[in-house]
Every structure is written in C-alpha cells, then in structure tokens.
Amino acid sequence: MVHAVDNISFSVKKGQALAIVGESGCGKSVTAMSIMRLVSSPGKITGGEILFRGRDLVTISDGEMQKVRGNDIAMVFQEPMTSLNPVFKVGAQVAEAIRIHRKVGKKEAWKQAADMLELVSIPDPVKRLHDYPHQLSGGMRQRVMIAMALSCDPELLIADEPTTALDVTIQAQIMELLTRLQKQLGLAVLLITHDLGVVAEFCERVIVMYTGRIVEEGPVSELFAGTNHPYTRGLLNSLPNPLKEIATGQRSRLETIKGMVPDIQALPQGCKFGPRCPDVMPICLGEEPGRMMMGADHDARCYLYGNVADPQRLTSK
C-alpha cells in the first residue's frame, strides 16, 4: 500500500486563510479531495479523522456527506472549463447547485443564481445566466465556479489552484475577489497552490508539504522572514528577486533544489528530503523526524530544530 498523504494534521479557523504549498505530486490536492471525500478509486482514506463541527467526516454516511458538500464545505477546482458542463447554460448550472441544497423553486433558484453572479462581480449578471461556458472568458468561468461554490453559504471554501490556467492580470483579479468575499462572508479558506506570491498576499498561515507529509507549518510572516525547513528555504530561494538584480545591476540565475522528488513507492529511510538536503546530518538518515517546534505557533519536520517532536503534533509512523 502506498500512502499519497501520510499522517498529516492541521486546522482551519473561521475567517482564516490557510495555504498548502509544495511541488506537484506532494499530496496537496489529495488532501483537499480527502476532506471532501471525493478520492477516486482505487484510492481511499485508510485511517485518521477529518473533524468538522465536531463530526468525523470519515465515518458519516454518504447521504450525510452529500449534505455537507456545498452546504458546509465547498470547493473550487483547478480548471473551470472542465468543471462546467459545456451543453448547459451558466444560469442552469448555478441554479441547479442551489436547488440541490436548498428547497426553492426554479424561479427563485434562477433569481439567486443572478444574485451570486453579481456577488462575484460578473457584469450584467442576468444576461450572463443565458450564456454557455464557451462564451465566457477563463476569468469569468472561474468567477462562475466561485459563485456556485458560495451559493449555499458554506463555512469552509477549498480553492484548489484557482488561478492556474489564468493569465497574471486575471489571477490578481480572482485573488482580490476571494479576499473580498472572505472578509465579507467570514469564510474559512483552504488554498491549494504552488504560487508563494499568492500565499504572501492572501493567507495568514501556510503549510508546506513534501512526499505526502507536512514538513513545515507556521504564520506566513515567519515563513518569509527567516529560519525555515531546508525544503521551504529551497522553494523561497528559487523565486526571482528583481530588487536584488536592480541593486546589483546584474541578472542572476534562479536557484534550484538539487536532485529529484523520490518515487513515492520507494521513499528513502529517515527524512524524506534527506537526499536533496544541503544540511543533511547522520541523524537524518535513521528515523524520520517528527514536527519540531520552532516557535509558539511554528514547527518543522527537521532535526535542525531539535530531536524531540511536539507531542501535540502527529509524527510519522
């Protein structure tokens, strides 16, 4: 058995924006799909708890989980063109999402759909209800997806790479929209992304994942300010630094993290980042480190910061 996500633990508070970052294949999206209980077969949740309002989403029935999706927890997926049905009008799809979870008639659902398009700043929302997805731009389609996700007033919004397929200008508009809606509606937001620039502007806390594990968690301000897990440090150093180039008058090559992500079916002994780590020590090659405390609300899975894990944090088996 291969664990795509191994023994992770975190919480999202009401009104908080929490980011999960990491390379492709590190387990970000699987984590989000597990929360929604939408992991595709043959994948499955093999253990642990997913607690929401004191209920374990792992053990409730399929019928109860169906009520949770949309009503309490909603999700915005990566590619809006594949998430929207191309043969149905936008209004019909938003109205259907409303009728599934709320006991309203077609006319009222259609009116609420228009209100939701207006909420996400789509111009002339009543007219847009009659458009098909291909008649909308990528940014507009993503706004429709956000409108559908928020149509039943959820408490938690999971946004899985919501700006991946969009150009830079539209990305900024979508993130500004999510920021406004989070404050306006008091949403808790779990943002899945690989873009550290988005994390810096939008989120209060950040989780860094590697090979299905949390290797660091802490406030965004601390993550960008200094001491980090070596993997996080590598991600930050790989970002372009135009201010440095302006100051020095020289263009510099982007730094890279040496080596390759290990095959999840053949992970190394000890610290999973060990073979790529510039600070590797003999202790790293033995037992995998637990999550060591670096501050009051900041931890890293690294022996650089101690050799006794915080008992309140889950450690790898």
Side-chain angles (χ1 to χ4, degrees):
M1 181 183 294
V2 175
H3 290 94
V5 173
D6 188 14
N7 210 359
I8 69 172
S9 176
F10 64 89
S11 61
V12 188
K13 298 178 181 178
K14 182 178 176 62
Q16 182 185 65
L18 172 69
I20 300 181
V21 302
E23 294 172 90
S24 297
C26 71
K28 305 186 300 294
S29 293
V30 173
T31 299
M33 299 299 274
S34 297
I35 294 172
M36 298 295 286
R37 258 180 51 184
L38 292 174
V39 178
S40 300
S41 180
K44 60 181 178 179
I45 300 171
T46 60
E49 297 177 322
I50 302 172
L51 299 178
F52 181 80
R53 286 182 176 174
R55 288 197 300 168
D56 185 1
L57 302 185
V58 174
T59 59
I60 63 175
S61 68
D62 290 342
E64 290 177 299
M65 190 64 210
Q66 184 64 38
K67 294 178 182 178
V68 170
R69 296 190 199 106
N71 277 329
D72 300 317
I73 306 175
M75 188 166 179
V76 177
F77 296 92
Q78 292 186 30
E79 177 45 68
M81 196 60 201
T82 58
S83 300
L84 291 169
N85 192 318
V87 301
F88 288 101
K89 293 179 179 180
V90 165
Q93 296 185 61
V94 179
E96 181 184 20
I98 293 170
R99 294 191 68 199
I100 286 173
H101 296 284
R102 294 182 175 179
K103 295 180 179 179
V104 297
K106 290 184 179 180
K107 187 175 181 179
E108 177 60 24
W110 195 266
K111 178 182 178 301
Q112 290 183 23
D115 292 341
M116 293 309 302
L117 294 192
E118 183 176 9
L119 178 68
V120 298
S121 302
I122 291 181
D124 201 356
V126 175
K127 180 181 177 182
R128 290 297 186 182
L129 290 174
H130 298 277
D131 286 345
Y132 289 93
H134 72 272
Q135 295 176 285
L136 303 178
S137 67
M140 286 293 187
R141 289 195 294 266
Q142 193 61 287
R143 288 171 187 267
V144 171
M145 291 301 301
I146 294 170
M148 290 176 67
L150 299 180
S151 61
C152 294
D153 195 22
E155 293 187 30
L156 171 63
L157 176 67
I158 300 175
D160 187 3
E161 301 277 11
T163 60
T164 294
L166 308 176
D167 63 49
V168 175
T169 303
I170 304 303
Q171 285 182 21
Q173 292 176 5
I174 293 300
M175 293 314 300
E176 287 174 5
L177 171 64
L178 286 176
T179 300
R180 174 173 64 80
L181 293 175
Q182 183 204 11
K183 294 177 180 178
Q184 182 177 339
L185 304 176
L187 283 170
V189 177
L190 180 61
L191 176 67
I192 312 295
T193 185
H194 63 272
D195 190 332
L196 290 169
V198 169
V199 172
E201 291 196 19
F202 181 69
C203 300
E204 293 89 47
R205 292 187 61 77
V206 59
I207 286 169
V208 182
M209 290 188 68
Y210 185 77
T211 62
R213 292 153 173 76
I214 292 176
V215 295
E216 184 166 0
E217 179 181 358
V220 168
S221 57
E222 291 187 21
L223 189 89
F224 284 87
T227 306
N228 301 110
H229 187 284
Y231 174 62
T232 309
R233 203 159 62 236
L235 292 179
L236 293 171
N237 289 340
S238 68
L239 296 174
N241 190 339
L243 294 180
K244 181 180 178 181
E245 292 184 1
I246 292 172
T248 60
Q250 297 179 339
R251 298 189 66 180
S252 57
R253 293 179 63 87
L254 294 178
E255 295 187 29
T256 60
I257 301 174
K258 71 173 187 177
M260 298 290 291
V261 178
D263 186 339
I264 198 169
Q265 299 183 70
L267 293 174
Q269 180 71 21
C271 176
K272 308 313 174 194
F273 187 63
R276 307 176 70 189
C277 182
D279 302 316
V280 65
M281 303 176 289
I283 191 175
C284 306
L285 307 178
E287 186 176 349
E288 184 174 5
R291 294 171 65 175
M292 315 295 179
M293 295 307 296
M294 301 169 62
D297 201 22
H298 188 179
D299 67 78
R301 192 181 292 278
C302 183
Y303 284 122
L304 288 173
Y305 306 107
N307 56 17
V308 179
D310 175 20
Q312 298 301 316
R313 302 285 186 178
L314 289 178
T315 56
S316 286
K317 297 175 181 178

